């Protein structure tokens, strides 16, 4: 099975809960899900939707068209009328049929104009009937369900609209062929703490299944499997868990989308349960999470905590990261171990606050004034978010510098079912420290590898200054000391490049001697892996150079790999093809082709595939394609 | 033997600078409190005052302009056993760092802020600082000051600081006493220290201050401290402090304006949510076992994320 479905409705109308029900129901039956959330920067009313892909194996991307479209409002029918094709099923509330396009006031003005144009070009009425007819003309099966009546058959009194999201989800699951017991079990999990809510929603689920059976809508019963995956996580969740496992005990943040959720998860789980046989070392522990007055405070407060020996981090998005620039520069100069998890979203400025972006790569590499070493790494799927968060804390401790961990919005809010996180995959590396009360030189120049020993506030006396400093940490403007301290700081990057395994910096997936090589980073990893499989089925050999660490950059490997590649295409969610620029700077190699998307939406398997085939078939030298799919 | 709190770094402040009195008051206060060098951390911002940590033989960090407060808050929250003192200037704390100054009043973390108040930006050659009066014309200004003046005492009271005082850098006996009280206070303290800048501020000179300052504690009825036993007097004492904050001109009060011992510190508030926070804070927590793996059980900690 490979099922794609979209459930859409007004922001604040329970779309997320719907998605959670559907994800958990399929998970209960042993399937894997990959669920993406798209929403406006708005609290209530504007169009939001979840796009979910379900497979027995783990799905790694989205694809269009969708098999089932569930509309919890009329806007969804307009917004997604081109996402369905012959055989797709469209479910909506019968009462929407009276709606006119002009009444759909929360559709963006330009989107409405485009919808109007499409309906007019087919001589269809500018209303819901028109949108439905458009989908029917394309072969979709449209199903009008009297939402009110079905809910009322299950529950008397109350507000039926409150159950529309459960109803829509249950009808979807019934049409998909998932037995009712899995759906009811999912309801119990989603509303675990509210027995009355569980009871009512289970009744609605049963009524929905009954309705589908009576109207011959139920799908062929799906097989169920033993559950393989254990954790249902978003990228925000995974990074939070990874940080805790990596020893994080102090996190700061200033509220910003899509980074805040990570800190909220940490706050919700600030009481840590310890492994049974470790309890003698520590009875109970906790993570301190502080909402600061701004991002300047967030970075500097995390640095202050770090100087006591606490593993510390902060999380933000582009606009907040801008404010952190001065702090990051200080961390570079003073060799403060601090992790900044940078959730990229569409910029510049406030940009697309709730949509995806990968346009902060060059900024992450150049943030701050002056020259200083830093480590910049990036994650490309939910599991990586967790393991990389652990590693980021290690790098900060080992090399005594700021570590910027790039995650994009696609990963932040995508739900994925993953195996349990294996603690034995990442050892905790402590900093090279002096003993308590020992006199020492914090910026000792006499090192093999640029790494001087550290001491901690509360244990040792030492000094730090944002000015250039001598070995004790006192201000100096001595030209010779300046030169030696600059070299010592940068030597740490060489040490890091030597010590960090290559597979943590760059990876290759796919075929040897490929006809087409993708170069990418971040959340495109999943869709491209799927595209490589698709191309293989068509007899085309493709592979992917997947970048994970941009500083220190694996220049030699990238250079030798790309100089042997036949046809290279760079795939990124930005306009400037920023990773291409880094590669050109680091290796001198210019990548000829690019598939780019900066609409803020996910890149899907189908759209990358179609361009990839075009690039292979077209023998032109330069191809730059900008992708636009997604509502 | 008592720890020597004076470092051997050459002090490069101008002769006659009010900073010297503050530095001496700090070292004397720390010595008299019988503290060890590792018990106290100094965190400063930028400017002449920002150099103070280098002149103290305690752990110290000379941070970014305006950022001493969040930096110090991180130190204190990660290790609440430390005493954290912030020698920083009026420009640093009340202009670029004003947002942090207000936020720290709301937190009441337990910092001791020593505000070096000379009404000018010394190290950048005498520009007007936020405590300089409107219309003032010092020799370093090209034209008279066109900004209004912030009132540090009133701002500290309004922001929620639970210990608000004013010192004068040439009254080291009083200042030393205030610093000791502030370091023993569980909430955050602000001591606004009036100090002349002999190089750039030829209006608010040592003599100008000497003619005006008087000690609040010399008034027999002055009682600014709110305790559990007299908590109902808090509003009255706050108002009385505010009235004294507005007194500026012929007479300028120094001493303790207000101290409220009943407001829980931020570290106390955190301890309600974070297990064993005060006895085993982040700085002392063990995070890995002998094999270098986490001591946290992720399955139990994040059990709500598991599909069972």
């Amino acid at each position: 099975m490979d099922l794609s479905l979209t459930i859409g409705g007004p922001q604040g109308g329970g779309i997320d809960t719907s998605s959670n029900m559907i994800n958990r129901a399929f998970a209960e039956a042993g399937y894997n899900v990959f669920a993406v959330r798209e929403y406006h920067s708005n609290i209530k009313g504007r169009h939001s939707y979840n796009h979910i892909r379900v497979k027995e194996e783990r799905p790694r991307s989205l694809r269009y068209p969708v098999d089932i479209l569930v509309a919890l409002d009329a806007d969804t029918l307009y917004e997604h009328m081109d996402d369905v094709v012959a055989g797709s099923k469209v479910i909506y509330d019968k009462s929407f049929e009276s709606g006119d396009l002009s009444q759909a006031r929360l559709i963006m003005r330009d989107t409405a104009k485009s919808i109007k144009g499409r309906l007019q070009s087919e001589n269809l009425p500018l209303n819901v009937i028109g949108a439905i007819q458009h989908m029917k003309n394309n072969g979709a099966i449209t199903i009008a369900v009297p939402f009110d009546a079905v809910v009322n058959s299950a529950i008397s009194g109350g507000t039926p609209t409150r159950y529309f999201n459960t109803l829509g989800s249950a009808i979807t699951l019934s049409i998909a062929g998932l037995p009712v017991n899995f759906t009811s079990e999912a309801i119990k999990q989603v509303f675990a703490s509210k027995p009355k809510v569980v009871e009512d929603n289970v009744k609605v689920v049963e009524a929905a299944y009954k309705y589908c059976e009576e109207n011959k809508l139920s799908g062929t019963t799906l097989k169920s499997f033993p559950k393989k995956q254990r954790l249902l996580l978003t990228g925000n969740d995974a990074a939070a868990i990874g940080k805790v496992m990596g020893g994080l005990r102090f996190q700061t943040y200033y509220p910003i989308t899509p980074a805040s959720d990570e800190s909220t998860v940490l706050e919700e789980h600030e009481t840590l349960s310890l492994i049974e046989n470790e309890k003698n070392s520590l009875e109970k522990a906790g993570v301190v999470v502080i909402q600061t007055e701004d991002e300047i405070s967030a970075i500097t407060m995390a640095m202050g905590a770090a100087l006591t020996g606490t593993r510390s981090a902060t999380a933000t998005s582009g606009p907040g990261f801008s404010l952190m620039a001065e702090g990051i520069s200080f961390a570079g100069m003073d060799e403060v171990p601090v992790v900044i998890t940078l959730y990229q979203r569409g910029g510049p400025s406030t940009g697309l606050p709730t949509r995806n972006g990968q346009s902060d790569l060059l900024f992450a590499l150049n943030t701050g004034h002056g020259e200083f070493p830093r480590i910049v790494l990036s994650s490309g799927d939910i599991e990586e978010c967790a393991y990389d968060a652990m590693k980021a804390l290690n790098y900060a401790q080992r090399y005594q510098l700021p570590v910027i961990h790039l995650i994009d919005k696609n990963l932040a809010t995508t739900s994925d079912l993953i195996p349990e996180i294996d603690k034995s995959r990442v050892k905790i590396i402590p900093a090279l420290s002096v003993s308590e009360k020992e006199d020492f030189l914090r910026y000792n120049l006499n090192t093999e590898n640029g790494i001087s020993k550290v001491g901690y506030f509360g244990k040792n006396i030492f000094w730090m200054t944002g000015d250039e400093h001598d070995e004790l940490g006192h201000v100096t403007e001595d030209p010779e000391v300046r030169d030696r301290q600059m070299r010592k700081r940068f030597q740490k990057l060489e040490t890091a490049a030597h010590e960090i395994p290559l597979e943590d910096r760059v990876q290759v997936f796919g075929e040897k001697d490929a006809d087409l090589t993708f170069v990418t980073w971040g959340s495109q990893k999943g869709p491209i892996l799927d595209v490589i499989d698709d191309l293989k089925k068509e007899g085309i050999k493709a592979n992917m150079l997947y970048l994970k660490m941009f500083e220190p950059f694996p220049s030699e490997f990238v250079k030798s790999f790309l100089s042997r590649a036949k046809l290279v295409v760079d795939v990124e969610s930005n306009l400037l093809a920023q990773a291409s620029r880094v590669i050109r700077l680091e290796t001198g190699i210019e990548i000829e082709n690019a598939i780019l998307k900066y609409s803020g939406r996910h890149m899907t398997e189908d759209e990358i595939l179609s361009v990839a085939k075009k690039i292979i078939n077209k023998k032109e030298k330069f191809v730059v394609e900008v992708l636009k799919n997604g509502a | 033997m008592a720890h020597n709190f004076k470092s051997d770094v050459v002090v490069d402040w101008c002769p006659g600078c009010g900073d010297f009195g503050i530095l001496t008051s700090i070292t004397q206060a720390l010595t008299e409190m019988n503290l060890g060098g590792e018990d106290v951390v100094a965190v400063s911002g930028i400017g002449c005052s920002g150099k103070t940590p280098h002149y103290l033989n305690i752990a110290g960090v000379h941070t970014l302009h305006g950022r001493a407060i969040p930096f110090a808050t991180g130190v204190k929250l990660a290790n609440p056993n430390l005493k954290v003192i912030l020698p920083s200037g009026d420009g640093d704390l009340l202009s670029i760092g004003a947002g942090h100054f207000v936020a720290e009043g709301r937190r009441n973390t337990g910092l001791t802020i020593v505000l070096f108040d000379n009404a000018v930006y010394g190290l950048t050659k005498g520009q007007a600082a936020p405590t300089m009066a409107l219309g003032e014309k010092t020799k370093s200004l090209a034209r008279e000051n066109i900004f209004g003046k912030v009132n540090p005492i009133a701002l500290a009271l309004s922001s929620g600081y639970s210990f608000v005082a004013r010192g004068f850098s040439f009254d080291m006996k009083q200042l030393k006493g205030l610093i000791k009280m502030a370091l023993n206070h569980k909430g955050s303290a602000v001591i606004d220290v009036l100090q002349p800048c002999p190089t750039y501020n030829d209006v608010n000179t040592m003599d100008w201050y000497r003619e005006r300052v008087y000690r609040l504690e010399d008034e027999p009825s002055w009682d600014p401290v709110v305790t559990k036993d007299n908590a109902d007097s808090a509003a009255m004492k706050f108002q009385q402090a505010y009235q004294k904050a507005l007194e500026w001109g012929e007479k300028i009060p120094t001493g303790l304006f207000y101290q409220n011992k009943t407001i829980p510190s931020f570290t106390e508030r955190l301890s309600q949510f974070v297990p064993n926070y005060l006895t085993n804070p982040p700085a002392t927590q063990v995070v890995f076992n002998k094999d270098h793996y986490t001591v946290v059980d992720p399955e139990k900690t994040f059990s709500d994320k598991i599909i069972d």
Side-chain angles (χ1 to χ4, degrees), chain A residues 144-323:
Chain A
V145 177
F147 277 20
D148 258 333
V150 181
V151 172
N152 287 333
S153 75
I155 299 168
S156 52
T159 323
T161 50
R162 282 180 54 196
Y163 300 94
F164 281 7
N165 59 345
T166 299
L167 181 69
S169 314
I171 291 173
T172 307
L173 292 163
S174 173
I175 290 176
L178 196 75
V180 67
N181 56 311
F182 296 116
T183 307
S184 300
E185 180 53 35
I187 294 286
K188 285 173 199 159
Q189 288 181 19
V190 171
F191 300 111
S193 56
K194 302 166 191 159
K196 173 74 180 131
V197 180
V198 169
E199 194 187 313
D200 288 349
N201 279 278
V202 166
K203 282 184 194 163
V204 171
V205 166
E206 284 161 358
Y209 270 76
K210 192 167 157 237
Y211 178 88
C212 288
E213 207 170 296
E214 285 169 4
N215 291 279
K216 305 209 178 333
L217 300 172
S218 318
T220 317
T221 307
L222 288 175
K223 278 197 287 185
S224 63
F225 307 92
K227 282 174 267 182
K228 279 164 287 191
Q229 312 296 354
R230 303 217 52 219
L231 296 163
L232 181 60
L233 301 181
T234 63
N236 288 127
D237 296 331
I241 294 173
K243 280 180 168 179
V244 167
M245 290 178 71
L248 180 89
R249 293 295 181 272
F250 196 87
Q251 164 101 351
T252 58
Y253 77 107
Y254 184 76
I256 191 165
T257 304
S260 306
D261 286 352
E262 182 197 290
S263 299
T264 308
V265 170
L266 286 168
E267 225 164 29
E268 281 169 358
H269 300 85
E270 63 195 346
T271 301
L272 305 175
S273 299
L274 302 178
I275 291 166
E276 209 54 50
N277 59 7
E278 303 300 342
K279 281 198 174 159
N280 47 2
S281 63
L282 192 64
E283 193 46 48
K284 257 190 173 176
V287 181
V288 169
V289 182
I290 307 290
Q291 179 186 324
T292 58
E293 60 272 29
D294 54 36
E295 285 91 350
I296 296 168
S297 176
I299 181 74
T300 46
M301 204 181 283
M303 286 197 282
L307 300 180
T308 67
T310 304
R311 288 183 173 230
S312 308
T314 187
T316 191
S317 305
F321 190 69
S322 300
L323 291 183

Side-chain angles (χ1 to χ4, degrees), chain A residues 422-433:
Chain A
D422 177 5
K423 69 174 169 33
S424 69
R425 267 175 59 178
V426 183
K427 275 196 174 193
I428 296 180
I429 304 172
L432 200 62
S433 60

Side-chain angles (χ1 to χ4, degrees), chain A residues 24 26 29 46 60 157 260 287 339 385 451 481 542 570 598 606:
Chain A
R24 284 185 180 255
F26 279 114
R46 283 205 188 275
R60 297 173 292 203
S260 306
V287 181
V339 171
C385 289
I451 301 168
V481 177
D570 170 75
Y598 40 88
D606 47 292

Side-chain angles (χ1 to χ4, degrees), chain A residues 46 49 209 271 375 412 476-477 592:
Chain A
R46 283 205 188 275
Y49 66 100
Y209 270 76
T271 301
I375 286 178
T476 188
E477 293 182 19
E592 296 154 356

